[in-house]
Amino acid sequence: MVAPEGQREGRPVARGELTARELLRWTWRQVTSMRTALVLLLLLALAAIPGSVVPQSGVDALAVTRWKEEHPDLTPIYEKLDLFSVYDSIWFSAIYLLLVLSLVGCIIPRCLVYARALRAQPPAAPRNLSRLPEHTSYETSLPADEVLARARKVLGRRYRLRVSTGSTGSTGSTGESDAVSAERGYLREAGNLLFHLSVLVVLAGFAIGGLFGYQGGVILVQGSTFGNNLTQYDDFDPGGLFTPEQLDEFDFTVEDFEVEWLEEGSGAGTARGFVAGLSYREGDGPERSYDLKVNHPLSIGGTDVFLIGHGYAPVITIRDGEGNIAWTGPTVFLPQDSSFVSFGVVKAPPAEPEQIGLEGLLYPTFDLYQGDPVSVFPDARNPLVSLLVYSGDLGLDSGEAQSIYVLDKEDATLVTDEDGKPFRLDLSVGETIELPDGLGSVTFERVEPWVRVQISQSPGKEVALAGVVLALIGLCGSLFIRPRRVWVRARAVAGDGAGDTMAGGTTTVVEVAGLDRSGNGDLAEVLTDLVAALHDEKERP
């Protein structure tokens, strides 16, 4: 209660002013309220939306690079807001930690209340059982003590019984000398608490993975070998407490890659399955083989290798003006659409007399549609590359890092034909075209497939899985366990000489009532079964 205007801690205070302790207590109550927890849970779900819409550097660095090239004006804003790394951002972590704090503040008091409820006895029988929504009564010739003993035996199989105190309550309840009080369903609240605790377990699992795990990606052309060390990754996103010693020692080679395409129907051109044949070796162990498929990762030690993408790498040979090979080999082209029309860049810095750069598109199954080049099928059945040629300084000698998917054309010159138009190379497999001005020649040798694999360690995934299992158990408990209270009262009344009476002319009136705290509506049937059990002369031991 706030002190009135006057002195507080040796200084005058205004009415309604809070001390530091009172302010902290009020803040704690606000943070740990159920309303705040629900709001934070909603905010966490909303905050995760950008992570699903905007490419994430820890998931697909190539997509991030492509997005930045397509949206140069938005890129600085997105970078300031950490939208390319949402789950590592300060604002997402703040919501995450506040949610954990709120859940802890909600659950601990509820656990204490539940612990006291477990030790408490079922409530005493109300004075008038007939006022409860579900009740019934009958008369019997058995003595009241025997009826109550039988009630304790029947209810004691599935209910917790109140220990008789023989006192009279102050809330309309009588003593337990003439009644039996029973209660069940205590585990329903345990299910609720378990569900909330499981949320913390899941969050802890994600936190462990975020701190101690890592995730990296690499593109490998068919026939390439990958060794698990930091220099081999195209992109690498370590956890806050990651150390290089966590990297398992292994290597693998992509021996082949096959795609099964739908050939007919409305889904023609859609891939049905992907298989990358790997040969791998763990440490100094023997070489093994594995068919890497989507959702069927290769597990080596604590590391998982996932297949997450594929594309094409045209093998192009560039000869310079002196006839020397300036570049030859597969170059990764990135798919632009579902037909796998792919964009890529080929660089030949050793070329003489000038450096040569190629930029353009690969059409896996080339055709002309109304005069425009298209790919009519995503499989590489009639591949064609269409490239523009640049010569001069490609920015490769500046010492600055440069993306292999971007051609620096600031100081380069676009090669033109005799009419002054851009010189375009349209090459099918096996074709060679001479470049103007004695720059050399370009040959399109063949097409090789490439695969993108994700390599990761998630040390908290077992914890998160355990949390999900606990959540399901708790949810089932809270949904299917029915908390219920039942009372049986037996009292002797004077008989009228008719019917079954005890010696001395008295009859026992038995009242049975119940209260279903879950509102399932089957309490009448429960009371009927209970009355039948109380009538049963051949009672089970």
Side-chain angles (χ1 to χ4, degrees):
M1 184 174 180
V2 179
E5 184 176 5
Q7 292 292 324
R8 180 181 293 171
E9 297 180 359
R11 64 177 180 83
V13 295
R15 182 180 297 275
E17 183 180 353
L18 299 177
T19 64
R21 181 178 179 180
E22 291 168 342
L23 180 61
L24 288 174
R25 182 181 299 173
W26 178 85
T27 303
W28 174 253
R29 288 176 178 173
Q30 297 303 310
V31 171
T32 58
S33 67
M34 184 59 67
R35 179 188 302 173
T36 301
L38 293 174
V39 170
L40 289 172
L41 193 60
L42 176 62
L43 287 177
L44 190 69
L46 293 176
I49 293 177
S52 303
V53 176
V54 180
Q56 299 297 291
S57 57
V59 178
D60 193 345
L62 298 179
V64 173
T65 301
R66 207 158 49 224
W67 196 97
K68 290 180 178 180
E69 293 173 358
E70 296 172 355
H71 306 85
D73 297 331
L74 290 176
T75 295
I77 300 175
Y78 277 41
E79 288 178 339
K80 288 181 180 179
L81 296 176
D82 288 330
L83 292 183
F84 297 115
S85 185
V86 168
Y87 307 112
D88 296 328
S89 63
I90 295 177
W91 52 270
F92 188 88
S93 299
I95 298 174
Y96 182 94
L97 294 175
L98 280 174
L99 177 59
V100 172
L101 180 64
S102 182
L103 286 174
V104 171
C106 289
I107 292 172
I108 291 178
R110 287 184 63 183
C111 289
L112 297 177
V113 171
Y114 179 62
R116 289 195 295 268
L118 285 177
R119 295 192 300 268
Q121 294 195 64
R127 186 182 302 276
N128 194 341
L129 293 179
S130 62
R131 290 183 178 179
L132 294 177
E134 296 291 343
H135 65 276
T136 186
S137 64
Y138 68 92
E139 294 182 359
T140 180
S141 60
L142 296 175
D145 291 343
E146 186 175 341
V147 173
L148 294 178
R150 179 171 295 181
R152 292 188 186 94
K153 188 174 183 179
V154 171
L155 292 173
R157 297 174 185 142
R158 301 182 64 185
Y159 290 78
R160 189 171 68 175
L161 302 181
R162 178 181 176 86
V163 178
S164 177
T165 60
S167 62
T168 302
S170 61
T171 58
S173 299
T174 61
E176 288 298 291
S177 59
D178 66 341
V180 174
S181 300
E183 187 173 11
R184 59 169 293 184
Y186 290 89
L187 291 180
R188 180 186 178 92
E189 180 62 17
N192 288 329
L193 293 174
L194 183 61
F195 178 80
H196 287 83
L197 286 171
S198 68
V199 176
L200 289 177
V201 174
V202 172
L203 293 177
F206 286 129
I208 293 172
L211 288 173
F212 298 97
Y214 72 87
Q215 181 173 281
V218 61
I219 290 179
L220 298 170
V221 178
Q222 179 175 285
S224 300
T225 298
F226 171 84
N228 191 33
N229 59 73
L230 294 177
T231 61
Q232 295 284 296
Y233 286 89
D234 293 336
D235 54 85
F236 191 81
D237 184 24
L241 300 178
F242 168 82
T243 58
E245 290 73 19
Q246 291 178 224
L247 294 174
D248 291 320
E249 186 180 353
F250 66 86
D251 60 80
F252 62 85
T253 301
V254 181
E255 302 292 349
D256 57 71
F257 179 70
E258 296 180 358
V259 182
E260 182 182 356
W261 304 96
L262 287 175
E263 302 285 346
E264 300 176 349
S266 59
T270 303
R272 296 183 57 184
F274 312 88
V275 180
L278 304 183
S279 60
Y280 71 97
R281 179 183 289 105
E282 183 176 2
D284 296 330
E287 185 174 271
R288 300 182 178 133
S289 60
Y290 187 82
D291 289 336
L292 187 63
K293 302 177 183 178
V294 177
N295 297 326
H296 291 79
L298 168 63
S299 296
I300 305 176
T303 305
D304 294 321
V305 181
F306 296 87
L307 176 64
I308 62 173
H310 71 104
Y312 298 107
V315 179
I316 294 175
T317 299
I318 300 177
R319 296 182 181 273
D320 61 16
E322 299 178 1
N324 299 318
I325 295 178
W327 168 262
T328 185
T331 303
V332 172
F333 277 44
L334 302 178
Q336 304 297 298
D337 54 33
S338 58
S339 68
F340 275 75
V341 173
S342 304
F343 173 82
V345 169
V346 184
K347 304 174 186 180
E352 295 291 345
E354 293 182 296
Q355 296 179 352
I356 297 174
L358 308 177
E359 179 185 78
L361 298 172
L362 165 69
Y363 299 89
T365 304
F366 173 76
D367 200 357
L368 288 174
Y369 178 74
Q370 297 181 351
D372 296 323
V374 296
S375 180
V376 297
F377 201 81
D379 195 12
R381 299 179 177 179
N382 181 32
L384 179 139
V385 290
S386 181
L387 306 168
L388 293 177
V389 184
Y390 293 85
S391 63
D393 184 6
L394 302 180
L396 298 171
D397 300 326
S398 63
E400 297 181 1
Q402 188 179 111
S403 171
I404 61 173
Y405 306 107
V406 177
L407 186 64
D408 185 354
K409 297 173 284 190
E410 183 177 356
D411 297 322
T413 302
L414 177 64
V415 176
T416 58
D417 58 17
E418 296 177 354
D419 299 328
K421 297 180 180 180
F423 184 80
R424 180 177 294 276
L425 296 172
D426 292 321
L427 293 167
S428 297
V429 174
E431 289 187 343
T432 300
I433 294 182
E434 297 290 332
L435 300 178
D437 304 324
L439 291 174
S441 65
V442 177
T443 303
F444 182 19
E445 308 283 357
R446 62 186 183 279
V447 173
E448 295 283 359
W450 59 258
V451 297
R452 176 170 174 79
V453 296
Q454 176 182 294
I455 303 168
S456 61
Q457 279 188 4
S458 303
K461 62 183 179 181
E462 292 84 3
V463 177
L465 177 60
V468 172
V469 173
L470 291 176
L472 292 175
I473 295 173
L475 187 60
C476 290
S478 63
L479 290 177
F480 298 109
I481 295 176
R482 301 175 179 179
R484 183 178 296 138
R485 291 171 180 171
V486 175
W487 296 276
V488 177
R489 173 173 289 130
R491 67 180 185 275
V493 296
D496 57 3
D500 294 333
T501 59
M502 297 183 297
T506 59
T507 300
T508 299
V509 176
V510 182
E511 295 178 284
V512 181
L515 186 62
D516 195 329
R517 299 165 61 193
S518 61
N520 289 290
D522 63 343
L523 188 57
E525 182 180 349
V526 172
L527 296 185
T528 300
D529 294 340
L530 176 58
V531 170
L534 293 177
H535 275 302
D536 187 4
E537 296 292 342
K538 298 179 180 179
E539 197 162 351
R540 292 170 293 179

